[in-house]
Amino acid sequence: MIERSGTLGEPEKAEEVNPYEVQSTAKDLKIREMPGVKNEKKLILHSKFVWGESEVFTARIDPEDNLIATGCSDGLIKIFDINLSKSLRSVFACIGEPIPITGLRWRPSTQINNTKNILVSCSADGNISYWHATTGKLIHRITEAGNQVLGIDFRSDGELLASGGKDYKVRVYDDDTKSLSVVFNGAEWQYTGHSNRVFAVKFLNDNPNMLISGGWDNTIQIWDIREGKSVGSIYGASISGDSLDYSKGTILTGSYRNKDQLQLWDLGERKLIETLDWGSNFDSAFIYGAQFSKNDGQYIIAGCVGNNQVRVFDRTQRNKAAFSIEGSSKGIYTVDFANNSSNFVFGGGEGIVYYMNLSNSGLF
């Protein structure tokens, strides 16, 4: 039961087909502990949610770790309740024909913006849409005419929202007024910028005036909001999804290529720190999603197409791969850590969203 009126639909009826029945594509999922790593935590599957025939392009866990929002190839957004293991609402987020949902972010709840459960989506039709996930209302819509918005990110205080897309530009919006604060243009002969599509933008959580972006031009651009321009760049990462992250002076990139896919970079020195070892079948691991764990930064997660695997790396053990999740019949497009634990979610071409528990006890 999907509403196409611009508001989130009501919860699905009990007599309808069970949306959590695991399809045959999920039966062969395997969790493997990697050799040479002493794992103090256990990794288990907590729950899984079946989308159906649509591919899951993006998934994000809300700030309180209660809800999972997922965006799909056919323009649908579905919100799941982790604790109840049920679907809450669905939305057809596009105007007119189905257009892929390319990114999702939950707006941080602060003293200034204290309304909870605000979800923002971006899509290939150039729209950035604000939804109230609890009531199901469309709050606001920003349209970047002629653009495909491929990635978004909030600053930690929720006051600014950045976007990147097909037109090589990075835009920063004032969240209160929903107006443009600054536009970082694409590369021109006298200016540094992107020269191809931008798939990922990321605010630096330790500097409110800085953000980074990456895409198909093999550069990470470093932007200063005060100066309104790029103040540096790092060459070497080819980003095709939500695979750009930052933690304590270190940039994480996941590249869509058959070597040197997962890398750490020093922001201050503008140079490569390390290329992480994927392990076996590394040459068929084309990464779409990568992220640091949000609660303590101990782990790195990455998901790929090709060999269709998820890897979890432990930064306390020289960045070695600690766990491998294998057996997916289709590629992994999105990964996201919880905010208050090391649990995480991933999904992709199967149309299934997996919520994984990574803890000392192996219990949720």
Side-chain angles (χ1 to χ4, degrees):
M1 186 169 93
I2 305 299
E3 296 289 336
R4 295 178 181 259
S5 59
T7 60
L8 293 173
E10 294 301 317
E12 298 177 355
K13 297 179 180 179
E15 64 268 27
E16 295 179 357
V17 176
N18 181 1
Y20 317 106
E21 184 176 80
V22 180
Q23 299 176 352
S24 60
T25 52
K27 291 181 179 179
D28 296 328
L29 196 69
K30 295 180 177 64
I31 301 171
R32 182 165 61 93
E33 292 194 20
M34 302 296 285
V37 176
K38 182 180 179 181
N39 289 314
E40 296 181 354
K41 296 183 178 182
K42 299 295 183 182
L43 179 62
I44 63 172
L45 173 65
H46 175 271
S47 52
K48 49 200 170 190
F49 308 93
V50 178
W51 245 114
E53 296 181 358
S54 302
E55 296 178 297
V56 177
F57 279 180
T58 178
R60 302 294 291 192
I61 302 171
D62 81 311
E64 297 182 350
D65 296 342
N66 293 322
L67 305 175
I68 300 171
T70 59
C72 207
S73 57
D74 59 3
L76 286 171
I77 297 171
K78 182 166 283 191
I79 298 174
F80 299 101
D81 188 304
I82 296 172
N83 300 313
L84 299 178
S85 294
K86 64 178 292 186
S87 173
L88 295 182
R89 300 184 184 276
S90 298
V91 58
F92 184 75
C94 303
I95 300 173
E97 294 299 317
I99 298 292
I101 304 299
T102 51
L104 293 170
R105 287 295 187 271
W106 295 91
R107 189 179 71 184
S109 179
T110 65
Q111 290 183 345
I112 297 176
N113 290 320
N114 57 10
T115 303
K116 296 182 179 181
N117 297 328
I118 301 299
L119 177 69
V120 180
S121 64
C122 65
S123 49
D125 57 2
N127 286 315
I128 300 171
S129 303
Y130 283 69
W131 309 93
H132 189 252
T134 303
T135 63
K137 293 182 179 180
L138 175 64
I139 300 172
H140 190 81
R141 178 169 277 149
I142 299 168
T143 300
E144 297 183 2
N147 193 25
Q148 295 178 2
V149 185
L150 303 174
I152 53 175
D153 193 50
F154 271 106
R155 197 168 70 178
S156 59
D157 60 7
E159 294 184 10
L160 296 178
L161 175 76
S163 72
K166 182 181 178 181
D167 65 0
Y168 313 170
K169 296 179 181 180
V170 173
R171 295 171 173 85
V172 179
Y173 295 91
D174 182 297
D175 184 71
D176 185 32
T177 64
K178 306 299 187 290
S179 60
L180 274 171
S181 292
V182 62
V183 178
F184 299 113
N185 289 314
E188 299 178 6
W189 69 271
Q190 73 272 43
Y191 297 112
T192 302
H194 285 293
S195 59
N196 211 322
R197 298 186 183 204
V198 180
F199 280 87
V201 289
K202 180 68 180 179
F203 280 100
L204 306 190
N205 52 19
D206 55 8
N207 189 329
N209 297 303
M210 305 287 289
L211 66 153
I212 55 178
S213 59
W216 277 355
D217 63 2
N218 296 315
T219 70
I220 304 165
Q221 293 295 329
I222 304 166
W223 308 99
D224 191 316
I225 296 171
R226 296 162 298 186
E227 298 189 30
K229 66 179 183 179
S230 174
V231 294
S233 63
I234 302 172
Y235 182 82
S238 178
I239 292 174
S240 297
D242 200 347
S243 59
L244 176 68
D245 204 2
Y246 172 83
S247 177
K248 299 178 180 179
T250 300
I251 298 171
L252 169 68
T253 60
S255 293
Y256 187 88
R257 59 193 181 201
N258 63 0
K259 65 177 182 178
D260 302 333
Q261 297 97 325
L262 198 60
Q263 296 178 305
L264 299 174
W265 309 82
D266 188 298
L267 174 66
E269 297 293 330
R270 312 283 204 266
K271 66 180 183 181
L272 179 67
I273 299 173
E274 181 182 356
T275 297
L276 277 63
D277 182 10
W278 188 270
S280 60
N281 300 321
F282 74 92
D283 56 348
S284 57
F286 298 83
I287 294 176
Y288 269 125
Q291 192 179 96
F292 289 115
S293 55
K294 300 171 189 173
N295 65 327
D296 57 10
Q298 178 180 347
Y299 294 100
I300 293 171
I301 186 176
C304 69
V305 303
N307 59 32
N308 307 335
Q309 296 175 346
V310 175
R311 285 277 203 276
V312 180
F313 298 82
D314 191 337
R315 299 184 72 193
T316 66
Q317 300 197 47
R318 294 181 295 175
N319 294 319
K320 290 185 176 181
F323 298 96
S324 178
I325 304 174
E326 304 167 1
S328 176
S329 64
K330 296 182 179 180
I332 308 301
Y333 302 147
T334 180
V335 298
D336 187 44
F337 272 108
N339 298 277
N340 305 296
S341 71
S342 298
N343 296 345
F344 60 88
V345 65
F346 70 91
E350 286 184 332
I352 300 175
V353 179
Y354 298 91
Y355 185 67
M356 309 299 296
N357 174 228
L358 178 59
S359 67
N360 292 323
S361 62
L363 299 174
F364 179 67

PDB file of all heavy atoms in Angstrom, residues 237-261:
ATOM      1  N   ALA A 237      41.101   9.160  -5.405  1.00  0.00           N
ATOM      2  CA  ALA A 237      39.910   8.368  -5.073  1.00  0.00           C
ATOM      3  C   ALA A 237      38.832   8.579  -6.116  1.00  0.00           C
ATOM      4  O   ALA A 237      38.489   9.714  -6.453  1.00  0.00           O
ATOM      5  CB  ALA A 237      39.391   8.754  -3.690  1.00  0.00           C
ATOM      6  N   SER A 238      38.288   7.482  -6.635  1.00  0.00           N
ATOM      7  CA  SER A 238      37.214   7.529  -7.625  1.00  0.00           C
ATOM      8  C   SER A 238      35.923   7.068  -6.958  1.00  0.00           C
ATOM      9  O   SER A 238      35.695   5.874  -6.780  1.00  0.00           O
ATOM     10  CB  SER A 238      37.549   6.633  -8.819  1.00  0.00           C
ATOM     11  OG  SER A 238      36.513   6.638  -9.764  1.00  0.00           O
ATOM     12  N   ILE A 239      35.085   8.022  -6.592  1.00  0.00           N
ATOM     13  CA  ILE A 239      33.917   7.750  -5.752  1.00  0.00           C
ATOM     14  C   ILE A 239      32.647   7.712  -6.583  1.00  0.00           C
ATOM     15  O   ILE A 239      32.381   8.616  -7.379  1.00  0.00           O
ATOM     16  CB  ILE A 239      33.825   8.808  -4.637  1.00  0.00           C
ATOM     17  CG1 ILE A 239      34.999   8.619  -3.673  1.00  0.00           C
ATOM     18  CG2 ILE A 239      32.492   8.726  -3.894  1.00  0.00           C
ATOM     19  CD1 ILE A 239      35.115   9.676  -2.619  1.00  0.00           C
ATOM     20  N   SER A 240      31.850   6.648  -6.386  1.00  0.00           N
ATOM     21  CA  SER A 240      30.619   6.462  -7.151  1.00  0.00           C
ATOM     22  C   SER A 240      29.397   6.255  -6.265  1.00  0.00           C
ATOM     23  O   SER A 240      28.332   5.879  -6.761  1.00  0.00           O
ATOM     24  CB  SER A 240      30.768   5.259  -8.096  1.00  0.00           C
ATOM     25  OG  SER A 240      31.781   5.473  -9.049  1.00  0.00           O
ATOM     26  N   GLY A 241      29.548   6.501  -4.966  1.00  0.00           N
ATOM     27  CA  GLY A 241      28.434   6.321  -4.050  1.00  0.00           C
ATOM     28  C   GLY A 241      28.711   7.039  -2.745  1.00  0.00           C
ATOM     29  O   GLY A 241      29.568   7.932  -2.673  1.00  0.00           O
ATOM     30  N   ASP A 242      28.006   6.633  -1.694  1.00  0.00           N
ATOM     31  CA  ASP A 242      28.161   7.253  -0.379  1.00  0.00           C
ATOM     32  C   ASP A 242      29.354   6.599   0.323  1.00  0.00           C
ATOM     33  O   ASP A 242      29.205   5.876   1.315  1.00  0.00           O
ATOM     34  CB  ASP A 242      26.880   7.059   0.421  1.00  0.00           C
ATOM     35  CG  ASP A 242      26.752   8.048   1.570  1.00  0.00           C
ATOM     36  OD1 ASP A 242      27.755   8.717   1.890  1.00  0.00           O
ATOM     37  OD2 ASP A 242      25.659   8.140   2.157  1.00  0.00           O
ATOM     38  N   SER A 243      30.535   6.881  -0.200  1.00  0.00           N
ATOM     39  CA  SER A 243      31.748   6.186   0.263  1.00  0.00           C
ATOM     40  C   SER A 243      32.853   7.164   0.630  1.00  0.00           C
ATOM     41  O   SER A 243      34.036   6.907   0.392  1.00  0.00           O
ATOM     42  CB  SER A 243      32.241   5.206  -0.805  1.00  0.00           C
ATOM     43  OG  SER A 243      32.531   5.875  -2.015  1.00  0.00           O
ATOM     44  N   LEU A 244      32.457   8.286   1.234  1.00  0.00           N
ATOM     45  CA  LEU A 244      33.387   9.295   1.700  1.00  0.00           C
ATOM     46  C   LEU A 244      33.056   9.610   3.149  1.00  0.00           C
ATOM     47  O   LEU A 244      31.911   9.938   3.471  1.00  0.00           O
ATOM     48  CB  LEU A 244      33.271  10.560   0.847  1.00  0.00           C
ATOM     49  CG  LEU A 244      34.118  11.769   1.247  1.00  0.00           C
ATOM     50  CD1 LEU A 244      35.597  11.491   1.014  1.00  0.00           C
ATOM     51  CD2 LEU A 244      33.674  13.008   0.466  1.00  0.00           C
ATOM     52  N   ASP A 245      34.044   9.518   4.045  1.00  0.00           N
ATOM     53  CA  ASP A 245      33.791   9.787   5.449  1.00  0.00           C
ATOM     54  C   ASP A 245      35.014  10.456   6.070  1.00  0.00           C
ATOM     55  O   ASP A 245      36.099  10.497   5.459  1.00  0.00           O
ATOM     56  CB  ASP A 245      33.448   8.488   6.193  1.00  0.00           C
ATOM     57  CG  ASP A 245      32.624   8.729   7.447  1.00  0.00           C
ATOM     58  OD1 ASP A 245      32.273   9.892   7.737  1.00  0.00           O
ATOM     59  OD2 ASP A 245      32.316   7.747   8.149  1.00  0.00           O
ATOM     60  N   TYR A 246      34.833  10.948   7.302  1.00  0.00           N
ATOM     61  CA  TYR A 246      35.891  11.692   7.972  1.00  0.00           C
ATOM     62  C   TYR A 246      35.840  11.436   9.469  1.00  0.00           C
ATOM     63  O   TYR A 246      34.746  11.368  10.062  1.00  0.00           O
ATOM     64  CB  TYR A 246      35.731  13.191   7.702  1.00  0.00           C
ATOM     65  CG  TYR A 246      36.665  14.063   8.510  1.00  0.00           C
ATOM     66  CD1 TYR A 246      37.976  14.281   8.090  1.00  0.00           C
ATOM     67  CD2 TYR A 246      36.249  14.648   9.704  1.00  0.00           C
ATOM     68  CE1 TYR A 246      38.839  15.075   8.834  1.00  0.00           C
ATOM     69  CE2 TYR A 246      37.104  15.444  10.450  1.00  0.00           C
ATOM     70  CZ  TYR A 246      38.402  15.652  10.015  1.00  0.00           C
ATOM     71  OH  TYR A 246      39.254  16.423  10.754  1.00  0.00           O
ATOM     72  N   SER A 247      37.027  11.305  10.087  1.00  0.00           N
ATOM     73  CA  SER A 247      37.110  11.138  11.540  1.00  0.00           C
ATOM     74  C   SER A 247      38.485  11.584  12.029  1.00  0.00           C
ATOM     75  O   SER A 247      39.503  11.032  11.617  1.00  0.00           O
ATOM     76  CB  SER A 247      36.867   9.674  11.934  1.00  0.00           C
ATOM     77  OG  SER A 247      37.013   9.494  13.328  1.00  0.00           O
ATOM     78  N   LYS A 248      38.511  12.607  12.871  1.00  0.00           N
ATOM     79  CA  LYS A 248      39.714  13.046  13.587  1.00  0.00           C
ATOM     80  C   LYS A 248      40.921  13.225  12.666  1.00  0.00           C
ATOM     81  O   LYS A 248      41.998  12.677  12.897  1.00  0.00           O
ATOM     82  CB  LYS A 248      40.037  12.044  14.698  1.00  0.00           C
ATOM     83  CG  LYS A 248      38.934  11.908  15.739  1.00  0.00           C
ATOM     84  CD  LYS A 248      39.280  10.863  16.784  1.00  0.00           C
ATOM     85  CE  LYS A 248      38.165  10.739  17.806  1.00  0.00           C
ATOM     86  NZ  LYS A 248      38.461   9.703  18.837  1.00  0.00           N
ATOM     87  N   GLY A 249      40.740  13.986  11.624  1.00  0.00           N
ATOM     88  CA  GLY A 249      41.835  14.305  10.734  1.00  0.00           C
ATOM     89  C   GLY A 249      42.095  13.303   9.632  1.00  0.00           C
ATOM     90  O   GLY A 249      42.975  13.514   8.800  1.00  0.00           O
ATOM     91  N   THR A 250      41.314  12.226   9.611  1.00  0.00           N
ATOM     92  CA  THR A 250      41.514  11.177   8.609  1.00  0.00           C
ATOM     93  C   THR A 250      40.295  11.063   7.703  1.00  0.00           C
ATOM     94  O   THR A 250      39.163  11.017   8.175  1.00  0.00           O
ATOM     95  CB  THR A 250      41.766   9.818   9.286  1.00  0.00           C
ATOM     96  OG1 THR A 250      42.933   9.907  10.103  1.00  0.00           O
ATOM     97  CG2 THR A 250      41.971   8.721   8.251  1.00  0.00           C
ATOM     98  N   ILE A 251      40.545  11.021   6.399  1.00  0.00           N
ATOM     99  CA  ILE A 251      39.492  10.851   5.401  1.00  0.00           C
ATOM    100  C   ILE A 251      39.478   9.389   4.952  1.00  0.00           C
ATOM    101  O   ILE A 251      40.528   8.792   4.699  1.00  0.00           O
ATOM    102  CB  ILE A 251      39.731  11.762   4.188  1.00  0.00           C
ATOM    103  CG1 ILE A 251      39.700  13.234   4.610  1.00  0.00           C
ATOM    104  CG2 ILE A 251      38.696  11.491   3.095  1.00  0.00           C
ATOM    105  CD1 ILE A 251      40.152  14.177   3.510  1.00  0.00           C
ATOM    106  N   LEU A 252      38.291   8.827   4.851  1.00  0.00           N
ATOM    107  CA  LEU A 252      38.088   7.472   4.332  1.00  0.00           C
ATOM    108  C   LEU A 252      37.437   7.567   2.961  1.00  0.00           C
ATOM    109  O   LEU A 252      36.453   8.291   2.781  1.00  0.00           O
ATOM    110  CB  LEU A 252      37.189   6.676   5.272  1.00  0.00           C
ATOM    111  CG  LEU A 252      36.652   5.335   4.757  1.00  0.00           C
ATOM    112  CD1 LEU A 252      37.773   4.313   4.613  1.00  0.00           C
ATOM    113  CD2 LEU A 252      35.559   4.806   5.676  1.00  0.00           C
ATOM    114  N   THR A 253      37.988   6.834   1.992  1.00  0.00           N
ATOM    115  CA  THR A 253      37.376   6.773   0.664  1.00  0.00           C
ATOM    116  C   THR A 253      37.222   5.321   0.222  1.00  0.00           C
ATOM    117  O   THR A 253      38.097   4.491   0.464  1.00  0.00           O
ATOM    118  CB  THR A 253      38.211   7.525  -0.391  1.00  0.00           C
ATOM    119  OG1 THR A 253      39.525   6.938  -0.483  1.00  0.00           O
ATOM    120  CG2 THR A 253      38.341   8.987  -0.039  1.00  0.00           C
ATOM    121  N   GLY A 254      36.116   5.053  -0.448  1.00  0.00           N
ATOM    122  CA  GLY A 254      35.897   3.778  -1.099  1.00  0.00           C
ATOM    123  C   GLY A 254      35.727   4.007  -2.585  1.00  0.00           C
ATOM    124  O   GLY A 254      34.834   4.769  -3.003  1.00  0.00           O
ATOM    125  N   SER A 255      36.560   3.394  -3.400  1.00  0.00           N
ATOM    126  CA  SER A 255      36.577   3.661  -4.840  1.00  0.00           C
ATOM    127  C   SER A 255      35.984   2.510  -5.633  1.00  0.00           C
ATOM    128  O   SER A 255      36.152   1.334  -5.285  1.00  0.00           O
ATOM    129  CB  SER A 255      38.012   3.919  -5.321  1.00  0.00           C
ATOM    130  OG  SER A 255      38.528   5.113  -4.777  1.00  0.00           O
ATOM    131  N   TYR A 256      35.328   2.865  -6.712  1.00  0.00           N
ATOM    132  CA  TYR A 256      34.749   1.884  -7.625  1.00  0.00           C
ATOM    133  C   TYR A 256      35.804   1.516  -8.670  1.00  0.00           C
ATOM    134  O   TYR A 256      35.872   2.084  -9.754  1.00  0.00           O
ATOM    135  CB  TYR A 256      33.500   2.464  -8.292  1.00  0.00           C
ATOM    136  CG  TYR A 256      32.729   1.463  -9.121  1.00  0.00           C
ATOM    137  CD1 TYR A 256      31.744   0.665  -8.541  1.00  0.00           C
ATOM    138  CD2 TYR A 256      32.980   1.313 -10.477  1.00  0.00           C
ATOM    139  CE1 TYR A 256      31.028  -0.247  -9.298  1.00  0.00           C
ATOM    140  CE2 TYR A 256      32.277   0.404 -11.243  1.00  0.00           C
ATOM    141  CZ  TYR A 256      31.306  -0.372 -10.650  1.00  0.00           C
ATOM    142  OH  TYR A 256      30.600  -1.282 -11.403  1.00  0.00           O
ATOM    143  N   ARG A 257      36.675   0.552  -8.297  1.00  0.00           N
ATOM    144  CA  ARG A 257      37.732   0.103  -9.192  1.00  0.00           C
ATOM    145  C   ARG A 257      38.270  -1.235  -8.668  1.00  0.00           C
ATOM    146  O   ARG A 257      37.894  -1.668  -7.582  1.00  0.00           O
ATOM    147  CB  ARG A 257      38.853   1.146  -9.288  1.00  0.00           C
ATOM    148  CG  ARG A 257      39.513   1.500  -7.974  1.00  0.00           C
ATOM    149  CD  ARG A 257      40.375   2.733  -8.103  1.00  0.00           C
ATOM    150  NE  ARG A 257      41.041   3.098  -6.854  1.00  0.00           N
ATOM    151  CZ  ARG A 257      41.502   4.315  -6.595  1.00  0.00           C
ATOM    152  NH1 ARG A 257      41.388   5.280  -7.482  1.00  0.00           N
ATOM    153  NH2 ARG A 257      42.107   4.573  -5.450  1.00  0.00           N
ATOM    154  N   ASN A 258      39.170  -1.840  -9.412  1.00  0.00           N
ATOM    155  CA  ASN A 258      39.593  -3.196  -9.069  1.00  0.00           C
ATOM    156  C   ASN A 258      40.908  -3.259  -8.296  1.00  0.00           C
ATOM    157  O   ASN A 258      41.473  -4.339  -8.119  1.00  0.00           O
ATOM    158  CB  ASN A 258      39.686  -4.066 -10.325  1.00  0.00           C
ATOM    159  CG  ASN A 258      40.734  -3.566 -11.308  1.00  0.00           C
ATOM    160  OD1 ASN A 258      41.408  -2.564 -11.067  1.00  0.00           O
ATOM    161  ND2 ASN A 258      40.856  -4.262 -12.422  1.00  0.00           N
ATOM    162  N   LYS A 259      41.403  -2.130  -7.816  1.00  0.00           N
ATOM    163  CA  LYS A 259      42.573  -2.128  -6.934  1.00  0.00           C
ATOM    164  C   LYS A 259      42.578  -0.834  -6.125  1.00  0.00           C
ATOM    165  O   LYS A 259      41.954   0.157  -6.523  1.00  0.00           O
ATOM    166  CB  LYS A 259      43.878  -2.266  -7.715  1.00  0.00           C
ATOM    167  CG  LYS A 259      44.186  -1.104  -8.640  1.00  0.00           C
ATOM    168  CD  LYS A 259      45.538  -1.288  -9.315  1.00  0.00           C
ATOM    169  CE  LYS A 259      45.872  -0.092 -10.199  1.00  0.00           C
ATOM    170  NZ  LYS A 259      47.212  -0.237 -10.832  1.00  0.00           N
ATOM    171  N   ASP A 260      43.282  -0.862  -4.993  1.00  0.00           N
ATOM    172  CA  ASP A 260      43.390   0.321  -4.135  1.00  0.00           C
ATOM    173  C   ASP A 260      42.022   0.937  -3.845  1.00  0.00           C
ATOM    174  O   ASP A 260      41.837   2.153  -3.902  1.00  0.00           O
ATOM    175  CB  ASP A 260      44.300   1.378  -4.774  1.00  0.00           C
ATOM    176  CG  ASP A 260      45.699   0.845  -5.048  1.00  0.00           C
ATOM    177  OD1 ASP A 260      46.127  -0.087  -4.328  1.00  0.00           O
ATOM    178  OD2 ASP A 260      46.352   1.347  -5.976  1.00  0.00           O
ATOM    179  N   GLN A 261      41.060   0.062  -3.496  1.00  0.00           N
ATOM    180  CA  GLN A 261      39.692   0.530  -3.349  1.00  0.00           C
ATOM    181  C   GLN A 261      39.434   1.293  -2.058  1.00  0.00           C
ATOM    182  O   GLN A 261      38.753   2.320  -2.058  1.00  0.00           O
ATOM    183  CB  GLN A 261      38.716  -0.662  -3.410  1.00  0.00           C
ATOM    184  CG  GLN A 261      38.716  -1.410  -4.715  1.00  0.00           C
ATOM    185  CD  GLN A 261      39.600  -2.642  -4.674  1.00  0.00           C
ATOM    186  OE1 GLN A 261      40.649  -2.625  -4.018  1.00  0.00           O
ATOM    187  NE2 GLN A 261      39.191  -3.705  -5.333  1.00  0.00           N
TER     188      GLN A 261
END
